[in-house]
Structures are given as C-alpha cells and as structure tokens.
Amino acid sequence: NAGVTQTPKFQVLKTGQSMTLQCAQDMNHNSMYWYRQDPGMGLRLIYYSASEGTTDKGEVPNGYNVSRLNKREFSLRLESAAPSQTSVYFCASSESVSGGTYEQYFGPGTRLTVT
Amino acid sequence: GENVEQHPSTLSVQEGDSAVIKCTYSDSASNYFPWYKQELGKRPQLIIDIRSNVGEKKDQRIAVTLNKTAKHFSLHITETQPEDSAVYFCAAITGSARQLTFGSGTQLTVLP
C-alpha cells in the first residue's frame, strides 16, 4: 500500500497563476482532508470531504476550491495564487465510522511558493 | 468551533530526562485526542491517542493523560533520546466528519 500520495512535491507559482494539487489514497477511507502548515501555526484545515460526493469548508477555505473526484482522490485548486498561500500543503485521510479508528494518515506534503 | 492551545512552544531536555507537553481544548463535545510527531521535512505521524472515556494511556516511553473536567491533556515522554527530537502536535477531534483541530506545536530538542 502506498497510503496517501500527493503531487507535486514542490511548486513555484507567480501571483495570479492557478494550479491543482492532487491527492490519492489506497486505504479505502471515507474521509479526506486538506491542511496547510505555516511556521508556528500548526496545521489548519482548509477543506474536508466526509464521504464521496460531499465537501465542506474548514477553518481557512478562502482562495481554495476542492473536488472529491471519487473515493480515492481529493484535489485542491488555487484559482488565483497569492503570496499568502505560500505554505506546505498536506492531504490526509481517515475512516469516519463512529467507534472505529479516527487516525488520520498524512501524505508527504506539497511545498508551494507563490512569488 | 474547537480551539486547541499548546504549551510550551519550545522545550529542551537532557537525554534521559522526561518531557511534558500540555494542551487545552474548548469544545466539551470533543472526544478523541491524538498526538502527532513531525520530523523536519516529513509528514506528521500519529504516536499515541486517547479517547474521552479513558484518563490515561501508555505505550512504552510515551503516555498521555486526559482531564475532561478541566479540558486539558498532556503528553509525557520518559527517558528521552536524541531521536525524540521533533515537533509534536496535539489535536482534538470534533464534528461529524471527525475534523482535527491542531495545537500550534512544540519543538522538542533532546540534548546528548
């Protein structure tokens, strides 16, 4: 099992450019999440998908959109990148069944720089 | 929404000593509290977790305690080793999709 994979690993964008971060998991998890990590601020939830076909805003959704393409894949799109979106982005997945494990498994991250 | 505060932000200990990291949470409905370890340039990885119906859990050198009344939980690492050096994050889970709210992290340095 590859677990949670993300592409690309690194990306540099100019202000105003758009891009999509890809995430896939092979653990048959229902829930998937996108976080951003900035120095001294921990991980903040951008968007999440409780199950295939549903998406919801997290703590910091402005400037982002998501698509839950199928059960395996959850993408994050920046329509018009801004320097404030320079960050490390992590995708994660977990089971959402009540009483089951709540562990979130993280991907390796995407380091994004917006100039 | 949930708010998780974590202290201290940095912690240095001598090898072999114990380290304690503390977190508080705001939402009394939160019922699951994981701790993640993140090494430099790597992804966060779960090291221990505790559910709200348990007061303490131990796994070798690592233990977590939970005080639901006071809404705080702590990570205890005994007999620290240089490989314990990393950033540690506490978190609390809430909501129907089991969203995690993370603390701001503690940089632990174990001095040889």
Side-chain angles (χ1 to χ4, degrees):
Chain A
N1 284 354
V4 181
T5 57
Q6 291 181 237
T7 56
K9 291 184 178 179
F10 302 94
Q11 184 71 48
V12 179
L13 292 178
K14 295 186 187 304
T15 298
Q17 287 184 320
S18 63
M19 79 161 295
T20 300
L21 281 64
Q22 306 286 353
C23 174
Q25 52 91 9
D26 62 3
M27 295 174 283
N28 202 35
H29 286 167
N30 287 315
S31 299
M32 297 185 73
Y33 311 84
W34 276 105
Y35 295 91
R36 60 178 288 172
Q37 184 174 32
D38 303 299
M41 299 190 72
L43 293 101
R44 292 182 293 167
L45 184 64
I46 305 171
Y47 269 93
Y48 64 95
S49 171
S51 61
E52 185 179 356
T54 69
T55 60
D56 284 288
K57 295 178 180 179
E59 180 185 354
V60 289
N62 291 346
Y64 305 95
N65 283 301
V66 291
S67 295
R68 184 73 182 266
L69 304 170
N70 47 55
K71 191 171 185 179
R72 289 187 64 249
E73 299 173 288
F74 188 38
S75 62
L76 178 71
R77 182 160 178 85
L78 287 70
E79 291 291 352
S80 179
S84 61
Q85 294 177 305
T86 293
S87 189
V88 180
Y89 291 84
F90 286 99
C91 177
S93 71
S94 75
E95 274 301 306
S96 62
V97 176
S98 177
T101 178
Y102 300 142
E103 179 177 356
Q104 289 193 13
Y105 295 82
F106 286 82
T110 294
R111 188 174 296 274
L112 175 66
T113 301
V114 183
T115 62
Chain B
E2 176 65 277
N3 181 49
V4 177
E5 295 191 355
Q6 181 172 348
H7 301 281
S9 57
T10 61
L11 179 61
S12 293
V13 299
Q14 290 294 137
E15 183 177 356
D17 287 350
S18 295
V20 180
I21 303 170
K22 298 182 179 182
C23 289
T24 60
Y25 63 99
S26 62
D27 188 350
S28 56
S30 292
N31 59 5
Y32 172 74
F33 307 92
W35 286 88
Y36 283 81
K37 176 183 180 182
Q38 187 178 28
E39 298 176 347
L40 188 63
K42 301 289 182 63
R43 73 191 78 186
Q45 293 198 302
L46 182 73
I47 56 171
I48 195 166
D49 56 15
I50 190 167
R51 302 190 195 284
S52 59
N53 59 349
V54 175
E56 184 175 0
K57 183 177 179 181
K58 189 173 181 180
D59 183 3
Q60 299 184 332
R61 297 185 297 108
I62 295 174
V64 57
T65 58
L66 171 65
N67 183 326
K68 283 183 60 180
T69 303
K71 294 185 197 168
H72 66 70
F73 56 113
S74 301
L75 177 71
H76 305 253
I77 305 174
T78 59
E79 301 173 16
T80 53
Q81 301 168 3
E83 53 264 38
D84 294 330
S85 295
V87 178
Y88 291 81
F89 293 98
C90 63
I93 210 162
T94 189
S96 59
R98 320 311 297 166
Q99 302 100 290
L100 281 175
T101 299
F102 283 85
S104 55
T106 297
Q107 172 69 61
L108 173 65
T109 302
V110 180
L111 305 169

